[in-house]
Every structure is written in structure tokens, then in C-alpha cells.
Amino acid sequence: VKALARPAVAHFVRERRGFVPIALWLVVGVIAAFVARANDGNGADRVLRGTFGTVVLPLLAYGVISSLLGRKRLGHAIRGTVAVGGAPSRAALATVLVAMAASALLCGFAAMLLCVLAHGETDPPLAADMFGSFGVAVEGGAAYAAFFCAGSAIGGGAMRGAFLTLDFLLGVPAGVGAIFTPRAHVMSLLGGRVCYELSRRESSFVLAVLALVYLAVAVRFGRRAR
Amino acid sequence: VITLSGVSARTVGLRGRVTLNEVTFEHRSGVLGILGAVGDGTTLVFDVLDGTTKPKRGRVSVLGEAPTFARNRLARVSLDAPLPEALTVEEVCDLSSELRAEARRPAAERLDSLGLAMLARRPVRSLSLAERRAVMLALALTSKAEAILVEEPLLAIDPVLPRLLVDALHARGTESCIVVTTASPRDALRLANRIGVLTRGTFEPLDAALGNAKSGPEGGASMRVVVSAAHGRDGAALLASSLGASDVVKKLEVTAHASGASSISITGSDSALLGRAVTHSIATTGIDVDLVEPSTLSLDAVRAALAARGEP
């Protein structure tokens, strides 16, 4: 898997165009953090539950997947690796794992940054808040990456955008559908409304399960290297 | 050994549904040429052999295993030559060695088997389709793969490369099982020890007599002359005008390649007279040519001959 991950890592690191949307959403988050700090005593809480959780985190993860796969679907993106001797299912697994790791780290550090920038007087102690937000964003970023990879593996690859829309539509905390997409769980873990009567601990567990399920779906459908 | 026994499969390609109907063949070593177009199922045969597509019926065995298990022992060069876009050619060579559990060899050494050492440091993204295909062919031929599948080996490659490639494939065929697909009977004859024809999913072996037919369907003949890049298009035009002035040349077409070389295809009634005309033109114009080769039966003519053979 280590060798199979090399093309995906190289694609992510060397494709500079892919960084544009990522940088854009980070800037949006930073601006929101400054605005929240200026207007509220609990700016960090507000920006993490608001702009970061609802917009920046999912779109950062989406940006990572777009940077890794381009406009291709997962099966098409791994063709090069398969053509030089990689097993399709392992190549798909390696690519999704790289996407999950990159998205998790990026979202985690973005959460920490916004937490520091927006931290106000009535927010919890900075260190605890920062590392708590980092943990939630890492889990959320990984789950979102697996979710979008599953979307990229199904159909012609256009399902990635459909999955993003689905997340926005189904992610209403009160609805049953919210259980199956990352949004409501992430919002619950960031201190928002709980997701469909699930405690935060249960949401954290479900989010991890969702990440694994979507990882399996992505590998299952993405291994068709055509 | 590659064995297909009563294999039926189906896929939907860009140009509609493609099927295989109870395809049966066994290939042990050497080069097997499958003559047919993509719409006849040539790509689908390879998809079945490398496990990308599961057959609906029949049995497939590659090197004694099911295709998905033999994948690491098999190399495939497809028409669009996909390679990891973000890597350099050198890195692709190293990755290929690692994935196939082979000892790492310098990329330049592997690529030099087809005279491509100068591509080693180039990013894959900067390669033309012809260069990508050439790199994939070099990787396949220098790998330890026991079975090699190549789609249209002589298509979309540098005009000089075929000479090296044909020799390399024949040399490799002595120890490996190589299957090539092509829509060109001429390429199939140059490359393969055995030929089969795939017509709308139905496979039929071609007997040696029919496979070696060199004349055109109307008893005519054609030849291709590749003018070296050093002479450019002006040299090709000069040679073409000299050939065009000959009485034996009935039809003439000039094709320019991206590398600067040009191909001149000529058609006439007799291959010996055409050959004499080509020799005369080369001598009088002083233009260097890289290749002169005769054309053979068209694919349609081969199919018509096969159909006629089957009639009572």
C-alpha cells in the first residue's frame, strides 16, 4: 500500500492548481474567525459551529478529493498505477487512505488555526479547545474524505457533487437521514445540536463507522480501473 | 499459458455494446495476434484476461490462475497508455519494479531497450501519447511479467520504433506469452506467430495460407515508405512527386508525423513494380528513408476470405 500511495501523494503535493480551492476555503475560515472574534466573547465556539463546521470543513475535504482525483472518477484516477502493476483494489484503497489522511490533517490544523484566531474571553481554555477541535476536525475530515471518495467511485464520478448536495440536504440534525451523512455528527461534536437523539459519544462512534463504510464503498466501486 | 474456454462477456463502450461470444483459444508462448477492431471485442478480451471484466460464461485461466490472481504476473499496454500523471518516467519505472517485486534497475537502462533513455527524467504529464505508449511498452518488455497484452502495438508510436519493437516482442515471445490485438493485418503479420480473427465477438483462428496472403483484395498491392525526419516535409514532398510521376503508382497519400518524419503510402497493381518505383525514386531524389514495407490484405478482405472458406 505504501508504494501504491506514492502516485496519489505526488499528485496531491505536485498539483498546485488543486491548492486554489483549499486556500480559498481556508481564507474564508480565517475571515470568519476574525469577524467572530470582533463581535463575540466566544468567537471560537461561534466560528467552529458556524462557518467552519457547515462550510469550510466539508469544502476543504471536497477540495482535497478534487486535488487528488481531478475531475476523474476514482477508478479512472488509479488506472496509471494499475497499468504499471498495482492491484486495482489496493490502488483504490491507497488512494482513499491518502485522501482521508490529507483531509483529516488539513481540517484538523484548520480547526486549530481558527480556534486560535477567534478565541474569545468566554470560550473554554485555549489549549483544551484547540486540541478538542483538532480531534473533531480530524475525524470529520477523514469521514468527509471517505464520503466524497465513495461519491467519486460511483457512476461516472459526477456523484461526488451529488454527495455534497446530499450532505447539505440530509444533514439536518433532527432528520433520520442525518445519521448517514457526516454533517450532523460533526456539528454535534463541535457543540451544536445533537444528531437525531444520538449522544456526542455515539455520534463520534457513528462518524468513525461511516468513514469505514464509505471507505469500503469507495474501494468496492473504485477498483474498476477503467 | 492463457486459456479462454467458451468465454462470453459483455460491456458497454463508448460506441455501444461490445460482446464476446463463446471465445475459445489457448496460447502458450510466442506472439498471438488477435485481428479485429475495438468494437469487435479486442479490448474486451484483454479486460477479461486481466480481470477487469468478469465473463458471463466460460472459463478463463491466465498462467494457471484466475485473472485477478495473475494480475501481478501480467503486463498490459492499452491504447490510451495510462501512467501515474504526477510522477516522472524514472519514478514510474521504480514504482513498476516495486509493485512487481522486481530488482530495481536504472530507468535509462530499461527505457533504452526501445531507444527511449532520453525520456527518463521527463514528467509523465509532458509526454505525448506516442511517448507514453513507448514508455509502457518498454516497461512491459523489460518487466518480469510472464504474460504481456498489447493493444495495437504499432499504432501511435514513433515511425522508427516499430523496427525495434517487432524484434523486442519476438525476442520476449520466446520466454513469455504475448497477445497483441490489432485492426491491421499487416501489423499482425509482422508481429505474430499465430493469428486469430475476432469478428463482432466471435473468434476464429486464421490459417497460415490466408494469414500470409500479401496481395490486396483486387490483386493489387500497396507499400508504405517512411521518410526520415532529417529531410522534413520538403523531402517527403520531393519523393512523393517523384513517385507520383511513375506510371505504376495509381494512388499516393502523404501523412506527416509529429516527430517530423512523413509516411508515403502508395498503391499500384503489382508489388514488384511498386518496389522498383520506390527504389528508383529514392536513388534519383537522394532522400533517406527509414522504412519501406509492403501492405497486406485489409481486415475486411481477411474476413471475406474467412467467410468464403466457411461456405460449402
Side-chain angles (χ1 to χ4, degrees):
Chain A
V1 171
K2 193 179 151 196
L4 288 165
R6 212 180 301 147
V9 172
H11 201 278
F12 183 63
V13 174
R14 295 176 187 175
E15 276 298 308
R16 290 181 192 150
R17 269 187 303 175
F19 289 126
V20 175
I22 293 172
L24 182 80
W25 293 116
L26 273 176
V27 169
V28 168
V30 168
I31 292 170
F34 281 122
V35 171
R37 183 176 184 160
N39 295 335
D40 264 316
N42 60 341
D45 184 44
R46 196 177 142 188
V47 77
L48 287 172
R49 280 197 288 126
T51 310
F52 179 74
T54 54
V55 179
V56 175
L57 191 145
L59 291 174
L60 271 181
Y62 194 87
V64 168
I65 307 303
S66 299
S67 174
L68 258 169
L69 307 180
R71 290 182 181 173
K72 296 172 188 169
R73 61 188 172 80
L74 182 60
H76 198 74
I78 60 165
R79 284 190 73 214
T81 313
V82 173
V84 294
S89 49
R90 285 186 187 180
L93 175 67
T95 305
V96 180
L97 288 178
V98 168
M100 288 173 75
S103 173
L105 287 175
L106 191 70
C107 292
F109 286 116
M112 279 171 93
L113 176 72
L114 301 195
C115 195
V116 171
L117 293 178
H119 199 261
E121 293 153 10
T122 54
D123 275 322
L126 181 61
D129 202 15
M130 228 170 63
F131 288 110
S133 310
F134 177 79
V136 173
V138 162
E139 192 179 0
Y144 264 115
F147 182 65
F148 293 136
C149 281
S152 302
I154 298 169
M159 289 303 281
R160 195 191 313 165
F163 271 42
L164 178 68
T165 313
L166 206 67
D167 181 59
F168 272 93
L169 295 176
L170 292 181
V172 185
V176 184
I179 297 171
F180 305 104
T181 60
R183 174 174 296 268
H185 298 293
V186 170
M187 294 307 291
S188 167
L189 294 173
L190 286 171
R193 283 177 59 191
V194 293
C195 170
Y196 193 70
E197 299 175 9
L198 295 176
S199 69
R200 297 213 160 92
R201 184 181 287 254
E202 286 165 341
S203 260
S204 176
F205 176 73
V206 172
L207 195 58
V209 171
L210 280 182
L212 291 176
V213 169
Y214 287 123
L215 167 71
V217 170
V219 173
R220 171 73 182 79
F221 289 97
R223 66 185 176 182
R224 292 174 191 159
R226 285 183 196 164
Chain B
V1 183
I2 285 176
T3 312
L4 266 79
S5 177
V7 168
S8 297
R10 193 172 65 180
T11 189
V12 180
L14 291 173
R15 293 173 195 162
R17 184 182 293 178
V18 182
T19 55
L20 292 181
N21 309 315
E22 301 193 352
V23 171
T24 299
F25 67 79
E26 185 182 280
H27 183 52
R28 289 185 175 274
S29 64
V31 184
L32 167 68
I34 299 179
L35 199 48
V38 173
D40 292 310
T42 50
T43 302
L44 184 55
V45 169
F46 281 4
D47 284 347
V48 166
L49 286 175
D50 74 2
T52 308
T53 299
K54 280 187 183 166
K56 287 172 77 75
R57 274 198 306 275
R59 200 177 66 81
V60 185
S61 165
V62 178
L63 306 165
E65 292 184 287
T68 43
F69 294 108
R71 197 152 194 156
N72 209 28
R73 299 160 64 196
L74 180 144
R76 176 176 177 178
V77 181
S78 42
L79 263 178
D80 56 347
L83 286 171
E85 296 279 337
L87 302 181
T88 62
V89 173
E90 209 165 24
E91 288 169 333
V92 169
C93 291
D94 290 345
L95 178 68
S96 174
S97 302
E98 211 168 319
L99 293 176
R100 292 191 195 283
E102 296 166 358
R104 197 175 283 191
R105 286 162 58 194
E109 186 187 315
R110 293 186 72 175
L111 296 168
D112 207 32
S113 63
L114 292 181
L116 304 167
M118 70 288 186
L119 296 180
R121 293 189 187 279
R122 290 258 304 271
V124 167
R125 192 174 295 284
S126 73
L127 302 179
S128 68
L129 177 64
E131 289 169 333
R132 292 161 78 106
R133 276 180 57 77
V135 167
M136 283 200 77
L137 284 162
L139 285 180
L141 289 168
T142 56
S143 72
K144 282 187 180 170
E146 293 157 70
I148 300 174
L149 314 175
V150 190
E151 283 179 63
E152 291 289 356
L154 303 182
L155 190 76
I157 54 171
D158 186 278
V160 185
L161 198 57
R163 286 185 302 190
L164 295 169
L165 183 60
V166 171
D167 291 345
L169 276 171
H170 283 152
R172 190 64 207 266
T174 56
E175 58 191 39
S176 309
C177 186
I178 300 176
V179 185
V180 301
T181 62
T182 176
S184 159
R186 183 189 62 208
D187 290 354
L189 283 171
R190 280 183 77 183
L191 293 161
N193 313 114
R194 282 173 59 207
I195 299 176
V197 182
L198 196 62
T199 310
R200 280 186 227 127
T202 304
F203 182 84
E204 256 187 290
L206 195 65
D207 59 45
L210 198 52
N212 286 324
K214 297 274 186 204
S215 60
E218 305 88 18
S222 61
M223 271 188 184
R224 189 169 79 110
V225 182
V226 178
V227 179
S228 70
H231 286 287
R233 291 180 187 177
D234 292 343
L238 186 63
L239 188 63
S241 83
S242 170
L243 283 166
S246 167
D247 293 340
V248 298
V249 176
K250 304 288 180 214
K251 196 176 151 195
L252 185 147
E253 273 176 47
V254 182
T255 312
H257 297 279
S259 62
S262 301
S263 298
I264 304 171
S265 297
I266 52 171
T267 308
S269 56
D270 185 281
S271 56
L273 291 174
L274 280 181
R276 212 170 294 160
V278 169
T279 314
H280 177 72
S281 294
I282 291 170
T284 52
T285 57
I287 301 292
D288 280 342
V289 298
D290 284 330
L291 183 74
V292 179
E293 60 180 6
S295 297
T296 53
L297 281 174
S298 70
L299 180 55
D300 287 340
V302 171
R303 284 183 176 143
L306 263 178
R309 191 186 64 178
E311 284 169 7

